[in-house]
Amino acid sequence: DLQLKRFLKNPDNKGKVLIINQGNFTEQSSSISLYDEITNQIQNRFYEAANGVSIGATINSGYITPSGDAALVCNYPDKVVFLDPETGKDKGYSITEGLVSPRNMVSSDNYIYITNWDSDHTVLPSGMWEYTKSYLSIYSNSNLAFKRKVLVGSDVEGLLIYKGKLYVAVKQGLKVYDIEGDNIVLKATVKPSNFTNGARHIVIDRYNKLWVSFPGDGLMKVNPADNQIISTLDVPVDGMDGYITTDKEGNNIYTYCTTFDATYNPDEANIYKVNVANNSYGKLFTGTYFYGVGVSPVTGDVFTSEVSFTSNSVLKVVASSDGTIINSATAGIGTCRYLFF
């Protein structure tokens, strides 16, 4: 059985996927689902089944920590919940101090870093809000004690740790920080001169180059050795979230983009696959409304969902080679992120 052989090659990975269903924003209808790549079965309302209560928040993002916990970054109320991804059981500890509209999280051996929008904002001519005092909150990994907050720019989103440096995506571009104890020190801000929008998410490829998403502009490739821009690519990047991810080897980057008509109904959605070796890209899979993408480190399959914010989304698992649908399954409301473990 091919699926089983893939798992035997990847003993560190259990072939499970924790799926985040964001819910309808502010309605606290978030949930998580557990998907099994061996059986292709999905278990919805996984947290409720394990703990007897709902999460009672809106889940923005999630992260598998170095110790194997699943951390769920929540708003309404602001908190980071930790649970056992295999059982769904809440670990009984959480982070609440120092958070104001938290977005994303990463962890080193010693510290946890969480991006926060804060509540201060200006209203732009477009009517959109710019969170001008967004910041990073830093915690001890050993006891979750709040250490400090560091202002980082506007509209902070994704972040990544690589070789003792912290990379942070903000409206001003990619900010590069040296990690010094429980503090960070700004070393560079990187943004292409022809890009007009803000940075959202950051990944690293097989050649140890950074790729940063800019909705409406595309991708920027940066050499972390000298913080110089290598190239840009005009691949469509979704305006809502700007999320990007890579396959296990870092050979390909995956992004998604949903376009809307004049009355803001979803028109078309695409998953794009970027070949990092030659900077080419193409459509892998087309649907109506996507709100996230993930890639299994075991099977290489690509995960997305036909999303709904009022009823159940439909998970789509597709082949990374040609976009053939491998499986569909009913998920939760507002399906957005995929945590593989």
Side-chain angles (χ1 to χ4, degrees), residues 13-285:
N13 194 290
K14 299 178 177 70
K16 302 287 179 71
V17 190
L18 203 63
I19 298 172
I20 295 177
N21 307 295
Q22 190 180 77
N24 197 348
F25 218 62
T26 78
E27 279 188 13
Q28 299 188 333
S29 51
S30 283
S31 67
I32 53 174
S33 305
L34 184 70
Y35 184 83
D36 188 317
E37 290 195 86
I38 297 176
T39 64
N40 290 333
Q41 297 297 305
I42 193 167
Q43 185 181 345
N44 290 320
R45 301 217 159 266
F46 186 52
Y47 183 92
E48 287 89 330
N51 300 287
V53 293
S54 77
I55 292 166
T58 296
I59 309 171
N60 273 332
S61 66
Y63 177 70
I64 301 292
T65 70
S67 64
D69 285 357
L72 304 179
V73 180
C74 303
N75 293 176
Y76 304 103
D78 296 334
K79 61 182 177 178
V80 177
V81 174
F82 294 88
L83 52 107
D84 180 331
E86 275 197 88
T87 65
K89 287 290 284 184
D90 197 300
K91 302 287 275 193
Y93 45 82
S94 62
I95 294 174
T96 55
E97 188 181 355
L99 302 177
V100 183
S101 295
R103 304 299 297 165
N104 296 276
M105 163 180 163
V106 295
S107 178
S108 68
D109 289 340
N110 299 314
Y111 296 102
I112 292 167
Y113 303 90
I114 301 172
T115 57
N116 294 260
W117 273 355
D118 205 343
S119 53
D120 276 17
H121 61 274
T122 57
V123 181
L124 302 175
S126 64
M128 299 292 284
W129 289 10
E130 178 180 343
Y131 293 94
T132 52
K133 293 185 179 174
S134 66
Y135 65 93
L136 209 65
S137 51
I138 303 173
Y139 305 83
S140 164
N141 213 345
S142 58
N143 59 8
L144 306 183
F146 176 56
K147 291 295 186 180
R148 65 175 73 232
K149 71 180 245 187
V150 179
L151 293 171
V152 292
S154 297
D155 300 340
V156 68
E157 280 294 348
L159 69 176
L160 179 136
I161 296 171
Y162 177 66
K163 285 196 171 177
K165 295 193 186 304
L166 184 67
Y167 297 88
V168 182
V170 291
K171 184 172 184 177
Q172 291 78 10
L174 175 69
K175 291 206 172 181
V176 183
Y177 293 88
D178 279 346
I179 297 173
E180 298 184 2
D182 65 3
N183 201 6
I184 55 170
V185 178
L186 182 65
K187 291 296 173 184
T189 304
V190 188
K191 185 176 182 178
S193 58
N194 61 327
F195 277 21
T196 56
N197 298 304
R200 291 288 180 85
H201 290 280
I202 313 154
V203 295
I204 192 153
D205 71 14
R206 70 170 298 171
Y207 306 105
N208 297 320
K209 301 300 185 282
L210 301 172
W211 293 72
V212 187
S213 65
F214 290 78
D217 292 314
L219 299 178
M220 167 180 78
K221 180 158 71 165
V222 173
N223 185 351
D226 58 11
N227 299 321
Q228 295 300 303
I229 298 171
I230 299 168
S231 60
T232 60
L233 190 63
D234 62 351
V235 59
V237 174
D238 193 77
M240 286 282 284
D241 186 49
Y243 190 70
I244 55 173
T245 191
T246 64
D247 54 22
K248 183 183 180 183
E249 293 80 18
N251 288 320
N252 299 284
I253 291 166
Y254 293 83
T255 177
Y256 75 95
C257 187
T258 300
T259 54
F260 297 86
D261 65 20
T263 55
Y264 205 71
N265 287 308
D267 203 15
E268 185 180 300
N270 289 288
I271 302 290
Y272 294 91
K273 179 180 179 180
V274 179
N275 181 322
V276 304
N278 62 17
N279 279 17
S280 66
Y281 70 88
K283 292 180 185 178
L284 176 72
F285 183 64

Side-chain angles (χ1 to χ4, degrees), residues 286-304:
T286 298
T288 305
Y289 194 176
F290 300 155
Y291 191 49
V293 62
V295 186
S296 167
V298 176
T299 62
D301 295 340
V302 177
F303 284 64
T304 191

